Amino acid sequence: MKNILSIALVAILTILTGCGDNFLDQKNLFEKDSENYYRNPTDVNEALIGAYSCLALDGGSNHPVLLANLLSDDCFSGGGTNDIEVGGTDKFEKPLEDLYLGIYSRSYEGIFILNSLIEGFDQAAYTDIEARMQNRGEAHFLRGMLYFRLAQFFGEVPLDLSPTMEYLPKASADELYAQIADDLKIAIDSMSNKTYLNFESGRATKWAAEALMARVYLFYTGFYNKTDLPVIEGTAITQSQVVNWLEDCIDNSGHFLIPDYASIWPFSYLNDDGYDDGYAYAEGITWAGDGCAETVFAVKYTNQGDWGNTGRLAFSNQHVLFTSPRATDYPPFGFGWGIASVNPQLRNSFEANDPRRTSTIIDNTDENEPTYGDNYQWGGWNCRDETGLWNKKYAAVIRDVDGNGTYTGMYYDLFGGTNNMQLWNMQDDILIRFADVLLMAAELGSNSQDYLDQVRDRVGLTPVPYSLAALKAERRHEFALEGIRWFDLLRWGDAATAINAGNGVAVKTDNVDTTYKITFNANRVFLPLPESQIRVSRGNLVQNPGWE
C-alpha cells in the first residue's frame, strides 16, 4: 500500500518525538496542515491538481497506455535488447521485483491525496454551490479512476479510504468495484449538467464520469462474468442504468465525432500554419487541437518538465518519448526509445480503404511515409522484435520552422519550454473519446446499428450489419494503440487466442531476421505486485497468483 510514504513519515515522527511532548503540542501558526487545510476552494483546487498530476508517471515504461499496448496483441516489445522492463511486460515475465512500482505507488499517492480531501471536504466554505458540487464530483471521479486503473492492471489490491497510513490486505474484486461504482455515482450526481465547453480542458466532467462508469461496467461484468455492477449500499447498477448515462452523455455533453479522424492527432498540425512541412498526408487536414470535441477525458501535460525532482519529468509526456521510432529522426517524426513496435497483423487487419490505418501506423513499407524503403534504418540501438511499424498517434512531431535543417518539437515551437527531445512532448493522452461512448452504447444494446454506422461513416466506410464480431473489429481499428485493446480482449475472453496468434510473425532483433515468440499465461493477465510493497506490508499483502 502507501508504505513508500509511510516510511518517510515514520522517520519524521521519530525525530519530532525526540523533541519532547511540548513540541508536538504546539499549534502551527504559519503553515497548512490537516487541521487548517481544505478551508476554501483554493485549498480544494490545490489538492485536486495534486491528484490530477498522479495520472501521469515519470517512468515511461510504467505509463498505463504503453503498458496496455505492450500487453495486447497489437504491439511487440520494441526497445533494445537490454530494455528488460518492456520486454518483461510484453512477454508476461518479471525480470525485476519492482517492475511496476511506478504505476502502483503513483496511483496510491493520488488516492491518498483524494482520501484526505474527501474526508476534509466539508470544512471548505464555498459561496458557489455549483462549484462546490463540481469539485466534490471531481475528487470522487479521480479516486474511482485511480482504483479502476489499479484493478484493471493488478486485479485485487488493497482498498484504503482513510487519510492515514494503513497496512491492508487485498480487497476482493467485488469490494473494489463496488467502491469504484460508488465514487463514480457520486461524481455523476454531483457534477454540472453544463456542456464540456464550460470547463477547463483536462478537468473531469459529469460526461467523463458517465463514460467511465460504462467502461467499468463492461470490464467488471465481462471479465468476472457478472450481470450487474455492485455498490457499497443499495441496489446494484444495471445495464439499463449504464445505457441511460451513456445516452445522457451522447445527447447533452456537447461532445461529438469531429469530421476528420486524422484531425484528432498532432501530426495533422503539419502545414496548418502555412509552413510546408513536406508531409503529404497532413495536407488538407486541420488539427482539432488537444481538448477537442472528441475528447471526453484526457491527461494533460505542460512545458515545465525537467529532471529536477520526482514528479517533474511527468510534466512532459513520457509515453510519446518511449513510443516514437527508435534511434533516428524521420522528419516530420522525431526519434524516441522505440518501445512497442506495431504488430503487422494489426496493419493487415484494417479494411483496404480504412484511412484509420494510415492515421494510426508509421509504416516503412508505405511509399507515402518518411520511413519508406531504404530510408528506414533497421537495428537502431540494438532494437528488438522490430517490425518497422510505429505508433503514429503518439509519435513525436518535429519541424524545421527556420529552414536551416535544425528540427525542434512541434509542441516546443508552439508553447516553449526546454529545447530537449526528452522533454518537449506535451501531447494529451486521450483516455476516453466520444467514439468510445457511441460504441459502448452500441455494445450494451442502445441504437447499436446507428452508433456503429456513425463511427464507420466518419471514416468513409460503408455500413455493416451490427454483430458482436463487427463491434469487436470496429473497436480494434477505431482505438488501435490507444491502450484500450488489452482490456477489451480480457473482458471478451479473447486474450489467449489473440496473443498466441502473434507467434511466428517475422521481426528483426539487432537487425537479424527472426520470429516473434510468446507464451501466453492465463494466470498472469494481472501484473505482479511490487515485491518491496509486499515486504513492508507486515504480512498483509501476498503476491498475485501466477507470480509467486
Side-chain angles (χ1 to χ4, degrees), residues 194-352:
K194 293 177 180 177
T195 66
Y196 82 96
L197 289 169
N198 291 280
F199 299 95
E200 181 183 0
S201 179
R203 289 281 187 169
T205 63
K206 174 182 180 178
W207 321 116
E210 289 177 334
L212 185 58
M213 181 75 89
R215 187 174 286 179
V216 170
Y217 176 88
L218 283 166
F219 186 82
Y220 174 79
T221 57
F223 185 81
Y224 293 103
N225 194 27
K226 304 284 187 176
T227 302
D228 299 326
L229 185 61
V231 294
I232 302 297
E233 294 181 359
T235 306
I237 292 172
T238 66
Q239 179 173 328
S240 63
Q241 287 177 283
V242 175
V243 166
N244 287 339
W245 282 318
L246 287 173
E247 291 295 342
D248 185 35
C249 180
I250 292 167
D251 293 340
N252 300 309
S253 67
H255 291 291
F256 57 87
L257 294 178
I258 64 175
D260 195 324
Y261 184 83
S263 295
I264 301 169
W265 313 108
F267 68 79
S268 65
Y269 175 74
L270 298 167
N271 308 319
D272 277 6
D273 58 355
Y275 177 81
D276 184 4
D277 292 283
Y279 187 50
Y281 187 63
E283 293 177 1
I285 303 172
T286 300
W287 182 40
D290 289 328
C292 71
E294 180 106 3
T295 300
V296 178
F297 187 73
V299 177
K300 308 293 290 187
Y301 296 90
T302 78
N303 63 359
Q304 299 298 306
D306 66 41
W307 295 281
N309 54 62
T310 301
R312 289 299 296 269
L313 185 58
F315 289 179
S316 63
N317 191 332
Q318 293 298 291
H319 175 214
V320 175
L321 172 66
F322 272 59
T323 201
S324 294
R326 189 168 178 83
T328 303
D329 284 339
Y330 297 102
F333 300 111
F335 78 94
W337 306 152
I339 308 299
S341 59
V342 177
N343 182 351
Q345 293 173 329
L346 170 62
R347 175 194 60 192
N348 300 339
S349 70
F350 283 90
E351 295 172 57

Side-chain angles (χ1 to χ4, degrees), residues 515-526:
T515 56
Y516 182 74
K517 300 179 180 65
I518 189 168
T519 300
F520 178 77
N521 188 332
N523 294 320
R524 291 188 169 189
V525 296
F526 291 125

Side-chain angles (χ1 to χ4, degrees), residues 403-418:
N404 59 7
T406 301
Y407 285 87
T408 52
M410 167 188 142
Y411 280 85
Y412 173 76
D413 295 336
L414 288 172
F415 305 116
T418 302

Side-chain angles (χ1 to χ4, degrees), residues 307-519:
W307 295 281
N309 54 62
T310 301
R312 289 299 296 269
L313 185 58
F315 289 179
S316 63
N317 191 332
Q318 293 298 291
H319 175 214
V320 175
L321 172 66
F322 272 59
T323 201
S324 294
R326 189 168 178 83
T328 303
D329 284 339
Y330 297 102
F333 300 111
F335 78 94
W337 306 152
I339 308 299
S341 59
V342 177
N343 182 351
Q345 293 173 329
L346 170 62
R347 175 194 60 192
N348 300 339
S349 70
F350 283 90
E351 295 172 57
N353 58 338
D354 190 340
R356 292 175 297 191
R357 177 177 57 193
T358 308
S359 291
T360 299
I361 301 171
I362 302 172
D363 184 353
N364 81 318
T365 68
D366 183 347
E367 62 182 6
N368 294 311
E369 294 288 7
T371 59
Y372 176 64
D374 293 338
N375 291 329
Y376 188 76
Q377 299 182 33
W378 292 94
W381 296 340
N382 310 109
C383 194
R384 171 179 51 188
D385 288 339
E386 187 176 9
T387 63
L389 310 177
W390 303 103
N391 185 345
K392 186 183 289 186
K393 292 176 177 177
Y394 288 98
V397 178
I398 58 174
R399 311 178 70 222
D400 177 16
V401 294
D402 295 326
N404 59 7
T406 301
Y407 285 87
T408 52
M410 167 188 142
Y411 280 85
Y412 173 76
D413 295 336
L414 288 172
F415 305 116
T418 302
N419 187 2
N420 184 287
M421 52 81 65
Q422 297 186 59
L423 299 174
W424 65 27
N425 299 305
M426 306 169 212
Q427 174 184 349
D428 283 2
D429 281 321
I430 305 176
L431 301 189
I432 306 174
R433 289 200 284 113
F434 188 70
D436 199 7
V437 176
L438 293 175
L439 291 182
M440 287 191 293
E443 188 171 358
L444 290 169
S446 178
N447 300 303
S448 300
Q449 187 66 57
D450 178 44
Y451 292 153
L452 178 64
D453 290 348
Q454 286 187 40
V455 173
R456 290 178 60 81
D457 182 66
R458 192 253 295 265
V459 291
L461 297 177
T462 58
V464 296
Y466 178 85
S467 66
L468 181 58
L471 183 283
K472 288 180 178 182
E474 202 61 35
R475 288 188 63 83
R476 183 182 194 187
H477 300 130
E478 177 68 24
F479 308 120
L481 309 183
E482 296 179 45
I484 292 176
R485 169 76 171 169
W486 170 241
F487 303 115
D488 280 349
L489 291 174
L490 287 182
R491 67 185 179 85
W492 289 329
D494 294 342
T497 300
I499 298 300
N500 287 330
N503 275 305
V505 171
V507 296
K508 290 178 183 285
T509 290
D510 206 4
N511 202 21
V512 175
D513 290 332
T514 183
T515 56
Y516 182 74
K517 300 179 180 65
I518 189 168
T519 300

Side-chain angles (χ1 to χ4, degrees), residues 108-131:
Y108 276 116
E109 181 182 343
I111 289 166
F112 172 71
I113 293 170
L114 293 162
N115 287 345
S116 301
L117 171 59
I118 290 169
E119 180 172 278
F121 190 87
D122 288 339
Q123 301 176 106
Y126 280 78
T127 57
D128 185 336
I129 300 304
E130 185 177 37

Side-chain angles (χ1 to χ4, degrees), residues 38 52 107 205 323 380:
Y38 312 124
Y52 277 109
S107 297
T205 63
T323 201

Side-chain angles (χ1 to χ4, degrees), residues 135-197:
N135 286 165
R136 182 190 290 275
E138 288 181 66
H140 284 277
F141 171 89
L142 288 169
R143 188 168 69 178
M145 171 167 272
L146 287 168
Y147 266 123
F148 185 45
R149 183 165 81 176
L150 287 166
Q152 280 193 302
F153 278 115
F154 294 99
E156 296 179 341
V157 295
L159 177 61
D160 191 350
L161 305 178
S162 75
T164 58
M165 304 296 180
E166 297 184 34
Y167 297 93
L168 297 175
K170 295 178 182 178
S172 69
D174 289 349
E175 291 170 324
L176 281 168
Y177 280 89
Q179 182 58 50
I180 294 166
D182 268 27
D183 274 329
L184 294 181
K185 180 67 165 54
I186 292 171
I188 292 168
D189 291 342
S190 299
M191 291 196 281
S192 172
N193 286 317
K194 293 177 180 177
T195 66
Y196 82 96
L197 289 169

